[in-house]
Amino acid sequence: MATGFFTDTTLCIGCKACEVACKQWNELPSDGFSFTGNSYDNTSELSGTTWRHVAFIEQTTATEDGVENRWLMSSDVCKHCTNAGCLEACPTGAIIRNEFDSVFIQPDICNGCGYCVVSCPFGVVDLIAKFDPDGSHYNVASLMEERREERQTALQNNGGVAGKCTLCYDRQTLGFTPACAKACPTESIQFGDVEELRERARKRAVTLAGRGVDAQLYGVDDVGGGVGPLNAFFLLTDRPEAYNLPAAPVLPSTRQPAGYTAAALTALGLAVAGWMIFRNA
Amino acid sequence: MPGLGTSFGRGGATVWVPDLVNADCILIEGSNFAEAHPVAYRFVMKAKERGATIIHVDPRFTRTSATADIYAPIRSGTDIAFLGGVINYVLTNDRYFKEYVSAYTNASNIVGEQFKDTEDLDGLFSGYDPEGRSYDTDTWAYEKDERGHVKRDPTFQHERCVLNVLRRHYARYTPEMVERVCGTPQALFLKIAKLLADNSGREKTTAFAYAVGWTQHTAGVQFIRTAAILQLLLGNIGRPGGGIMALRGHADIQGATDIPTLYDLLPGYLPMPSALRKEATLESYLSVNSKPTGWWANTPKYVVSLLKAYYGEHATAANDYCFDYLPQLIGDHSMLPTTFAMKDGTVKGYFVIGQNPGASGQNAELVKAAMERLDWVVNIDSYDNETVSFWRREGADPGKIATEVFFLPAATVLEKEGTMTQTSRLLQWHDKAVEPAGDSKSDAWYFNWFARRLKALYADSTDPKDRPIQHMTWDYDHDDPHERAKDEPSVLKVLQEINGFRTADGEQVASFAELKDDGSTACGGWIYSGVCPDKHTNRARNRDASGPYTALNWGFAWPANRRTLYNRASADPQGKPWSERKRYVWWDDEKREWTGVDVPDFVKTKAPDTPADPDGKGMDAHSGADPFIMMLDGRGALFVASGLKDAPMPAHYEPLQSVVENQLYAQQSNPALGEYRRRDNPYNAPIDERYPYVLTTYRITEQSGIMTRYVPWLAELQPAAFCEIDPELAVEKRIKSGDWVTISTAVGEMEARALVSGRMTPLRIGSKGGRRRVHQIGIPYNFGDMVGLARGDSVGNLIAISLDPNVSIHESKTLTCDIRLGRRKTHHRDDIDMAVPSEERDPMGQPEGNWAGAHHGHGYQHMQGDDAGASTP
Amino acid sequence: MLSEFTPDQTVDDRRRPTYYDLPLLKAPHWEWNVVTYLFLGGIMGGLGLIQLLADGRKESERTLKRDARITAFALAAANPAILITHLGRPERFLNMMRIVKFKSPMSLGVWGLVLYSGAAGANMVRELALEGVLPRWLRFIAPGFLTPMQALLGAFTAGYTGVLLSATANPFWGSGKRHIPTASVASGLASACALSSLLCAIEGNTEPLHKLERLEMAAGATELLALVDFRRASGEYGKPFFEGARGKKLRDTTMIAGTLVPMALNLLGSIIKLPKPVDAVRVAVASILTLTGGYVLRESLIEAGKDSARDPRAAFRQPT
Ligand SMILES: Nc1nc2c(c(=O)[nH]1)N[C@H]1C(S)=C(S)[C@@H](COP(=O)(O)OP(=O)(O)OC[C@H]3O[C@@H](n4cnc5c(=O)[nH]c(N)nc54)[C@H](O)[C@@H]3O)O[C@H]1N2
Ligand SMILES: Nc1nc2c(c(=O)[nH]1)N[C@H]1C(S)=C(S)[C@@H](COP(=O)(O)OP(=O)(O)OC[C@H]3O[C@@H](n4cnc5c(=O)[nH]c(N)nc54)[C@H](O)[C@@H]3O)O[C@H]1N2
Ligand code: SF4
Ligand code: SF4
Ligand code: SF4
Ligand code: SF4
Ligand code: SF4
Ligand SMILES: [Mo]
């Protein structure tokens, strides 16, 4: 069964329980402690070690009687694309599509080449940098001594491995709901059979439109550029860009034919030129 | 909280969280529901999905506002003006629920002639004594007939009937006035007032939710009273999707007031005997605290059973059940006054258990300076925190601090078993998941150990004053040999004792109805009775969610597993549901009993048409249509004639530290508030140009206190103390988001990172010279500067201690301050170390001076600042 | 990631085009090693053509062919090592060979590299056997078809280094889906000619020089044309590459010093007959300039890719 997420941002209360639950289940370290001044968003982006990220979009609009505020919150995650740039790009076959139709990185096969990083049109996957040796980014209290070492070696791997949401593959095989969806108190993150979720998302958009909400679906249907529909899709109330989502993503491999053709033609042209030069002289 | 207690009879939230889904409208005011109670907020979102209108009234646009349908800005500390405005709207436009109000409230009571309102005395009620800064509440009494019964006018013609008194009192709370005082635009205010009225009545209900945004004020109790009045007028108490949801704080803070850690309460909201109230004997204590009518007529049963639980066979009728073993209060021994006493050298030792006043406390530098003067401190905590490490704080010289510090490691919640009582008064048992790390022990272990050591120490004493220790029952040995080997006591046995048992055979009682005042039963906390109805049942462990949505087999709610309190009011006086939509508990005429989806909060077989016996005792004095069983007259109180120290009906006063004059009355701030005018606790004067901004404090989802500041996953989400300021002020002060800023008050300075946000709106507030623009600054209180991964100055450094007169809660939600770009130098102040001259040491005149007069209800101090439990009516 | 962002009520936030100007995409984690890898890949590719074109029957071109084959193999052998410095551990390189994935330029490229090394290796062994350095019978190791094969694989190796970049989600790289491969191939050949010329000059084997120089000029001109057209075609996306300090460096180092100047020097060489030592200097200067230009081209591509990834505006609407 293909499983995925429907993230309904109109239900998100920005509690970040999803971010924390994901880190806890996957034993991921923190990404450092820096205050950004950008609303309540201090983790800023998805990273090799932040697999859920909650965006906070403050919108203050001046009106006749004062200001009108909107504060959009949305929990971003790997989209588990139908045509996944990362998967196509991966030279080692570390990235696979598993039995839940999710795009999954096998950490023991990944060699840290970083090619998936530049091939994801959503900026999701990233290399897990070298392990922070003093471990202060770790929830030391939560990790048993042995586990800590194990994780340390797994992550250390000089140069790191690529990291992103696994759609809680391990939990799913045990029949559990992914940690982030489980933790979400308001069901903003809904997990389940993608087809069912797509139906639900479409209905929800209609319901909301009926209430005068500018509901836009993102990724329920083909997002274009060859990427296809997403297995993790969203209901937004503003342009995708406001949430730092690409309005027009492109599947990188669609550029290959043009590239190879151009290279071949150039090579051919220069070869002919060379042949002429070397023969005529 | 006495706000709820004096209005309805019990201090707990009148509803339970999941019931919010039944609301047609939810007013969240005085709480940042989504951020501080995210899991409970699920039910608000569900209500919204079902079509309910969610309204948030808050000084800041928060994550709650973002998910609400309507957000209204308000100047911090002005909710009485706002809700008073709604009361005025409801009364002047005849939008109140007439049948409900006439049958279930004291609207028809006639107030005595001697009573004078704020209208007559420009902001004061009758009976004020400026010397003692307190009221003689006798002048607020009702008119009585010859037989001593309160006079009523069910036709509401009498000009002194409560409804008309209320009308006059709130007449000046017009929309225009609301705008001037609160800064809330009139149109928005009216929209909200209309929505509240539209969503109340037979077919609809509105729920209110508040938390410490209302309590931590010098008139906090009155804020809640305003809500209580409004909900009674709108007929929303005791009904599904109605009520007042008082959101509690820490996981077990409800439990910590039920079986209290408060100095002035015994378990089950029985007052601690007080020398000031002349309660030296059991008889005199009961004569003060037992009520002739209503449920509290049972007080003797609960007190005697409690004493039997404490002293076992030693407690006999002959010795007044060892009543004189209980300590007698001689003053205010709550946390904040005790802090001053520590500073002044009166108090020598300090147990700090699971609290971090060095960071979360008010005037936090003073707390730490006070600790320097102690002989010893015992800290039982799971982590190092700002309190444990006070001796190595910035500016302190450890070499000069003589205090001996004992730091005992506490097991965390996952490392021990027991119950937690959450915000819906629901007890839930949790098992131990892992063994405590290292040398950590559960808190119960420490107390078990202390108790045994004390008993051993005094075992041979012949001094009568040591008898309380000698006679104290103490038998909590764990049945599990593994736990017993580690000396862990059985907290289940503690819960069983709290439930109560028959002294003869040791069998558990099934409910508090079985308790007796003859020594044949023992009960450690009557309100929890029923949780362990027999030795094999622990209803706190119940995890059966089947059946109606009330899920009565999930956990155990006190009292008697009732979910919605006063639910008799969900039916009309004849016992029928007010409407099909709002069915909840009703009278089954065939079975001759109350029935419904909840446990009726009423005498189960008392028919709706049962007449009241005005001369009857206990429940007989109530009719079958009086839903508020804890109240003397069985009715909800629009007017509180006794039990509160500062007002029978809420009146708007400015906070002690305010940027404007009171627009409503000449009286600036609550005339009965508690002040500590000492040099180590200076206040910003009202309208002090040096402190032109309103400051409010609150919490954020990502942090709670030291427990979260150590967790990298949470620390990265909110890594630093910050302050929220509006863009206009930011431009004026050249502050950019992310900059370091310093905020200052007369008490001290703190530095924080600036978060410039359009969510903070400057307000236009009325003042003598017309309107002025008021900027509000918000600072989360969750940070501390010494330990953890996320650090920052504690906002407690900015807050001088001042108190609400009823519950001595600190005013930490509304202050004034200044702000500038750049970092502070040091927040160590020399004056905080100076000894305070003796004439400044007794700040409130007589300790508890205004206490003795309050016969009904009891003030109590909540150590941490949550709202607390019930007061006796 | 501290931003300078301060809300301004005079601006309608709903129109704010980005999310606090934070990047949408992830920047490549690629440093000197990947730059070098791409650069050498290009040269290898060019050498593949040169070893094919060089006429084995003429002594001077035989030397050229031999040198080309030896350097080609040396580079092909060096490249995995360089990649390993990027991957961290040698065994990680082996993971690259778990599978063949046609959709992945990186996978194909590695296989191309491996096959190329094979062909180049065999061809080199043949040369060394012919030279007598290795046993003579070893010359049969490389059948004749390996010569065009090496050229073909070389074209692929040079070309894929361009496709590797352009077939990614990086907006700048993506905007050069034709231009970057073209420039990579051309620049690779130019650099290969330069390297061969340099070796000829060092060995005093001046005869093939003018052929190499003319081929280098053709390749250089192609590269230049590709870059000029790239600038036009890439528009906004090309800014991190063509503008600012990086643009200036590209113009000065790759386009002028690395292409135009060597072209001029080569032209000079074919017009005026310079004294031998002077001419050797001319060849050396031209070659080093071309090679430097080629390296800077790769470096600029990678670095501009990083900047482009950091610009959310570019990433929101990817070039198609
Ligand atoms: N994540 C997290 N959750 C917590 C806690 C925590 O530390 N972290 N603490 C727990 C505890 S102990 C408690 S007591 C609860 C408290 O729960 P809440 O009371 O909901 O939380 P606060 O954030 O203190 O304050 C609520 C709101 O009151 C507003 N406010 C301030 N002054 C006024 C006023 O005068 N009028 C009105 N209408 N609003 C005002 C503030 O802007 C704030 O948004 O939260 C509990 N939940
Ligand atoms: N300015 C301002 N000040 C405020 C407030 C505000 O809104 N504004 N809110 C007030 C309110 S409502 C509250 S509740 C207080 C909260 O103030 P505190 O109770 O001081 O807050 P915490 O940081 O939660 O402290 C809890 C301590 O208990 C420890 N602990 C945790 N679990 C256990 C355990 O099982 N056993 C033991 N022994 N220790 C344990 C933790 O390590 C921590 O040190 O702050 C109050 N202060
Ligand atoms: S979002 Fe990116 S990382 Fe996730 S599957 Fe798609 S391409 Fe791969
Ligand atoms: S970094 Fe790992 S997962 Fe990503 S492309 Fe390279 S091998 Fe595949
Ligand atoms: S599905 Fe699992 S791995 Fe993916 S974001 Fe959720 S918790 Fe993290
Ligand atoms: S857990 Fe749910 S509500 Fe909370 S931030 Fe994540 S998506 Fe939003
Ligand atoms: S921290 Fe615990 S008590 Fe607080 S909202 Fe989350 S689950 Fe509920
Ligand atoms: Mo609290």
Side-chain angles (χ1 to χ4, degrees), chain B residues 29-33 35-38 56-60 62 74-79 210-214 216-217 223 247-250 253 696-705 781-782 813-814 864-866:
Chain B
E29 185 169 346
S31 171
N32 190 0
F33 204 148
E35 296 195 39
H37 317 271
H56 189 217
V57 181
D58 200 286
R60 305 174 304 124
T62 70
I74 187 173
R75 179 166 60 93
S76 179
T78 64
D79 297 71
Y210 78 88
V212 299
W214 271 359
Q216 292 167 356
H217 293 279
F223 279 43
L247 291 157
R248 311 304 309 265
H250 283 115
I253 210 113
T696 188
T697 67
Y698 46 88
R699 59 243 322 117
I700 43 178
T701 314
E702 297 85 341
Q703 297 290 353
S704 105
Y781 96 102
N782 305 86
K813 283 281 180 268
T814 311
Q864 294 180 331
D866 273 70

Side-chain angles (χ1 to χ4, degrees), chain A residues 14 23 28 31 37 58 204, chain B residues 49 63 713 716 737 757 759:
Chain A
K23 289 220 169 183
L28 296 166
D31 284 359
E58 298 194 1
R204 174 78 179 156
Chain B
E49 287 311 301
R63 283 177 261 202
W713 301 322
E716 70 175 328
S737 226
S757 169
R759 295 180 291 103

Side-chain angles (χ1 to χ4, degrees), chain B residues 830-843:
Chain B
D830 293 336
D831 54 346
I832 220 136
D833 289 336
M834 285 187 316
V836 170
S838 56
E839 64 273 19
E840 288 178 23
R841 289 189 187 177
D842 209 7

